Amino acid sequence: FPPYLLKPLTGSLKEFSRGKNPTTNFQFGEQISLAPAVCSELLSPALIRQRSKSAEIIVAMGSAGIFRGNHQVIKELLAIARMRSAENQKPLVLAANQGLSYALNADGSIAKIAPGGGALILTGSVVTNGRRSLYNQWGYWPILLVSVLGLAAIWKSNNHVA
């Protein structure tokens, strides 16, 4: 779980604790459901997959302040967000108090990005598509099945050679 990976950077885990209630999606009007992701939750593919199953948009809040504005970390967080968006086929909007704020299309491409530094307001639009990716529907099962079948084929071909 990411907070334990961050312990060497922060020196403490007292800032990280599990809430009493699970996070639920937010309903925006009658047609748009938002899947929230806060801080390091965006680093967890299974968590984002679970929340985005019944949502149209993934909405994340974060900060690169813990990394002291390290540009490489900020670029990596953008790459991770793009992956979460593409693997779930959902637009993603991230608001950061330090680092970059951006809106991503469902294919992970950047729709709008605000340059870091200072207080800014990012305005733009993303298009919901109502689709779910294979990963969003089935999770890891297809890749596990293909992996097992591939290993079985390799094992079988090695046994025929001997």
Side-chain angles (χ1 to χ4, degrees):
F1 186 70
Y4 294 103
L5 300 175
L6 297 177
K7 184 178 180 180
L9 298 172
T10 63
S12 168
L13 282 178
K14 66 183 176 185
E15 302 168 42
F16 304 106
S17 62
R18 185 179 186 139
K20 293 179 183 177
N21 299 317
T23 304
T24 58
N25 289 356
F26 296 100
Q27 201 65 30
F28 187 73
E30 290 186 24
Q31 298 186 357
I32 301 292
S33 177
L34 308 175
V38 180
C39 294
S40 62
E41 291 178 344
L42 206 53
L43 302 176
S44 175
L47 181 64
I48 299 303
R49 174 184 165 258
Q50 186 64 34
R51 288 193 187 151
S52 68
K53 279 184 174 183
S54 61
E56 285 77 31
I57 301 173
I58 302 167
V59 178
M61 297 177 293
S63 174
I66 193 170
F67 303 106
R68 296 174 179 84
N70 183 304
H71 294 290
Q72 191 60 37
V73 172
I74 292 170
K75 286 173 46 180
E76 187 68 25
L77 292 172
L78 173 58
I80 290 167
R82 292 181 72 184
M83 184 64 190
R84 294 295 93 81
S85 179
E87 72 189 359
N88 290 291
Q89 287 294 292
K90 307 284 180 180
L92 186 147
V93 177
L94 185 133
N97 60 358
Q98 288 187 342
L100 298 175
S101 295
Y102 39 81
L104 305 174
N105 294 313
D107 63 358
S109 63
I110 299 171
K112 195 84 165 195
I113 192 163
L120 299 168
I121 296 175
L122 176 67
T123 59
S125 59
V126 291
V127 178
T128 61
N129 59 21
R131 293 184 308 202
R132 290 179 55 198
S133 66
L134 183 65
Y135 171 73
N136 191 264
Q137 291 176 42
W138 295 94
Y140 297 112
W141 288 109
I143 194 69
L144 291 173
L145 179 62
V146 168
S147 298
V148 167
L149 293 174
L151 289 172
I154 291 170
W155 180 76
K156 185 175 180 180
S157 68
N158 284 342
N159 283 342
H160 283 289
V161 173

